[in-house]
Amino acid sequence: MMTLLSPTPSVLSSPQRRCHLLLLLYLPGQTVTPEILARLNGVDDAKALQDIADTGDEIQRYHRLSLITQQDGSYRIEGTPLNRRLCLLHWLRRALRLSPHFVQQHFTPALKTQLKQQGILTALYDEKNLQALISLCARRLQRQFDARDVQFLTLFLQYCLHQHHAGIIPEFTEQQRAWTQIRPEYLAALEIARHWKRRVLQTANENEQLFLALLFQLLRMPDPIGDNHEQDLRLRGAIVTMIAQFREQAGMSFSDEQGLSDQLYIHLAQALDRCQFGIGIDNSLPEEITRLYPRLMRTTREAFSDFESHFEMRFSDEEVGLVAVIFGAWLMQENDLHEKQVLLLTGNNLELEQTIEQQLRELTLLPLNIKHLTIHSYQKEGAPKEVVLVISPYSTTLPLYSPPLIHVELPLGEHQQQQIRKIIEC
């Protein structure tokens, strides 16, 4: 087991501390307890336990992994080999940004020690040899990897060697296999697989090649202009169709549909990979979007349904929420609009006020900033200067100066809906 020296107490950010924890959990033979983590990060036991809980929540949400407490009080990560590797891919890249010193001082030497103990030929995990393979793959893919990417790939390939030698090999569904095999990254990964197969890979070599292809696939930055693979062209065609469906359902158009299409391409090329391999994203967004922009979210989901059918995938509400944000941003940009501020006057009927607010949000695809103010304060102080419309479910007198005020009753009448929409969408 690697011996960890207690560093001088220092102020580390929560993301840095959690990076240290995740990398410790991936180190072969390393025991991870709250006490060890507390000493390493220079924090008390309570904060170490909170870091463990937060990390457990995050890897469950993003990678469907569990942080398990063992009988001796130590922790381990439980989940499929594929999800475990995808989790490390994310966290090791994060650690190289946030805690490069920790990667260099702790993770790298411990991994090399394990490779030596496993009896793997030094030539297979030698940095110069791996970097030569990475350069070869970059040429095959017509890409350039920066120094940090090369450092990451070198370490990650070493970890894959360790895992394979230990018999821990990722498995793929038939759909995942087909998705990966048609990508150009699959042929590039063959270069590494051939090099390794001559010396170490005996079984399940195709699964390792599939994973290496996925690794390069997840590192790519989609280019809506330069990408011309068959799968890329298929995606662009599906996006054009989706924009047309959104335009038809929303009754609103975009003058620069190419610009919108390019942004959606960059996002959805990565979202398709996340969806195919079960990689999660932040889950707080869709609930907020559904509450604040229900019509935008609903219109996006409707326009998205044929896209999902085309690729035979079901996207999460989180992913659809991000697409809705893109559509909403382009609608505002199209009309040179900013978030309109509407003032809702409040009194003694909270349920009525909440229902009116929800109906206001249903009227438009554009974002609204609905502020609340009591009738008494409104009559005394008037509306804030940024407000473009005042809505009141109660009878009230107008102050000396006020934006347009509409007195509403439920349900909102068609004429009132048109009046409100005209003001907030102009």
Side-chain angles (χ1 to χ4, degrees), residues 137 140-141 180-194 209 213:
C137 291
R140 293 279 190 271
L141 295 169
T180 305
Q181 285 175 333
I182 62 175
R183 293 290 312 174
E185 288 84 358
Y186 184 71
L187 293 179
L190 183 60
E191 299 293 344
I192 298 177
R194 281 174 177 165
Q209 184 180 341

Side-chain angles (χ1 to χ4, degrees), residues 82 202 241:
L82 177 58
Q202 301 300 324
T241 300

Side-chain angles (χ1 to χ4, degrees), residues 292 339-344 356-358 360-361 368-372:
L292 296 178
E339 190 176 54
K340 293 297 179 68
Q341 294 195 15
V342 176
L343 186 65
L344 177 61
I356 289 175
E357 177 171 346
Q358 191 64 21
L360 289 173
R361 296 190 183 282
L368 291 178
N369 183 353
I370 299 180
K371 296 179 175 292
H372 298 115

Side-chain angles (χ1 to χ4, degrees), residues 115-362:
L115 290 167
K116 290 178 182 178
Q117 292 175 352
Q118 288 177 300
I120 298 175
L121 292 174
T122 305
L124 289 173
Y125 60 85
D126 176 75
E127 281 87 349
K128 290 185 179 180
N129 290 345
L130 287 177
Q131 289 168 11
L133 280 173
I134 293 166
S135 296
L136 178 59
C137 291
R139 291 195 296 273
R140 293 279 190 271
L141 295 169
Q142 297 182 328
R143 289 191 213 162
Q144 287 186 336
F145 294 117
D146 62 23
R148 185 180 290 162
D149 281 338
V150 171
Q151 183 185 7
F152 161 74
L153 283 167
T154 301
L155 279 170
F156 201 80
L157 291 175
Q158 290 173 337
Y159 184 82
C160 290
L161 270 174
H162 151 66
Q163 288 280 284
H164 184 89
H165 194 82
I168 305 172
I169 300 166
E171 296 181 356
F172 297 83
T173 66
E174 286 303 315
Q175 187 178 15
Q176 291 171 338
R177 188 178 298 273
W179 180 262
T180 305
Q181 285 175 333
I182 62 175
R183 293 290 312 174
E185 288 84 358
Y186 184 71
L187 293 179
L190 183 60
E191 299 293 344
I192 298 177
R194 281 174 177 165
H195 176 73
W196 284 355
K197 186 177 182 180
R198 290 195 297 267
R199 295 181 173 90
V200 68
L201 300 184
Q202 301 300 324
T203 60
N205 182 49
E206 185 182 5
N207 278 359
E208 290 293 357
Q209 184 180 341
L210 282 166
F211 183 79
L212 294 173
L214 175 59
L215 169 63
F216 286 117
Q217 197 170 327
L218 293 175
L219 287 182
R220 83 178 182 115
M221 175 53 69
D223 178 2
I225 298 175
D227 291 350
N228 56 10
H229 186 266
E230 178 184 353
Q231 200 175 29
D232 305 327
L233 300 177
R234 178 187 175 195
L235 173 57
R236 282 212 285 265
I239 289 173
V240 169
T241 300
M242 179 170 61
I243 292 174
Q245 291 172 331
F246 185 95
R247 184 198 325 119
E248 180 180 351
Q249 292 163 7
M252 305 177 78
S253 61
F254 307 91
S255 62
D256 183 13
E257 287 198 359
Q258 186 59 56
L260 171 60
S261 178
D262 288 348
Q263 186 173 355
L264 284 170
Y265 175 84
I266 293 171
H267 172 75
L268 288 170
Q270 298 172 88
L272 281 166
D273 287 334
R274 289 195 296 267
C275 185
Q276 186 68 260
F277 293 94
I279 302 171
I281 58 174
D282 180 47
N283 61 357
S284 63
L285 185 63
E287 182 179 345
E288 188 75 358
I289 292 178
T290 301
R291 183 179 68 83
L292 296 178
Y293 320 121
R295 188 177 168 198
L296 174 62
M297 187 69 171
R298 188 170 60 251
T299 303
T300 302
R301 173 57 88 179
E302 291 168 356
F304 211 68
S305 59
D306 285 351
F307 183 90
E308 290 179 314
S309 299
H310 182 79
F311 287 100
E312 298 181 335
M313 295 184 195
R314 176 67 177 177
F315 282 70
S316 66
D317 287 342
E318 290 87 348
E319 292 287 4
V320 179
L322 291 178
V323 176
V325 168
I326 294 174
F327 274 121
W330 277 81
L331 283 173
M332 292 182 69
Q333 179 178 319
E334 179 67 29
N335 298 282
D336 192 26
L337 293 174
H338 300 288
E339 190 176 54
K340 293 297 179 68
Q341 294 195 15
V342 176
L343 186 65
L344 177 61
L345 300 186
T346 60
N348 56 5
N349 192 334
L350 179 60
E351 183 178 352
L352 171 65
E353 295 156 10
Q354 290 175 338
T355 303
I356 289 175
E357 177 171 346
Q358 191 64 21
Q359 290 197 14
L360 289 173
R361 296 190 183 282
E362 288 280 1

Side-chain angles (χ1 to χ4, degrees), residues 3-108:
T3 300
L4 293 173
L5 299 177
S6 177
T8 302
S10 60
V11 179
L12 297 171
S13 68
S14 175
Q16 286 175 317
R17 298 195 307 269
R18 287 184 285 124
C19 279
H20 297 173
L21 168 60
L22 249 294
L23 294 190
L24 286 182
L25 288 165
Y26 275 93
L27 284 177
Q30 172 62 47
T31 299
V32 181
T33 65
E35 295 75 21
I36 289 175
L37 184 64
R39 289 200 306 272
L40 179 73
N41 284 336
V43 296
D44 58 29
D45 289 350
K47 184 160 286 188
L49 286 169
Q50 185 61 54
D51 288 337
I52 290 170
D54 292 342
T55 302
D57 290 342
E58 187 169 347
I59 66 174
Q60 174 64 48
R61 182 168 68 246
Y62 287 85
H63 299 288
R64 296 178 295 178
L65 298 171
S66 300
L67 202 51
I68 303 298
T69 308
Q70 303 185 105
Q71 289 186 346
D72 63 358
S74 64
Y75 289 84
R76 65 178 174 84
I77 296 176
E78 186 175 86
T80 69
L82 177 58
N83 288 341
R84 284 173 56 89
R85 286 200 196 182
L86 291 175
C87 179
L88 179 61
L89 187 158
H90 171 76
W91 284 85
L92 182 54
R93 293 186 76 194
R94 179 189 286 186
L96 285 169
R97 293 194 309 271
L98 300 178
S99 294
H101 180 76
F102 182 86
V103 176
Q104 180 182 5
Q105 296 296 318
H106 293 289
F107 188 81
T108 302

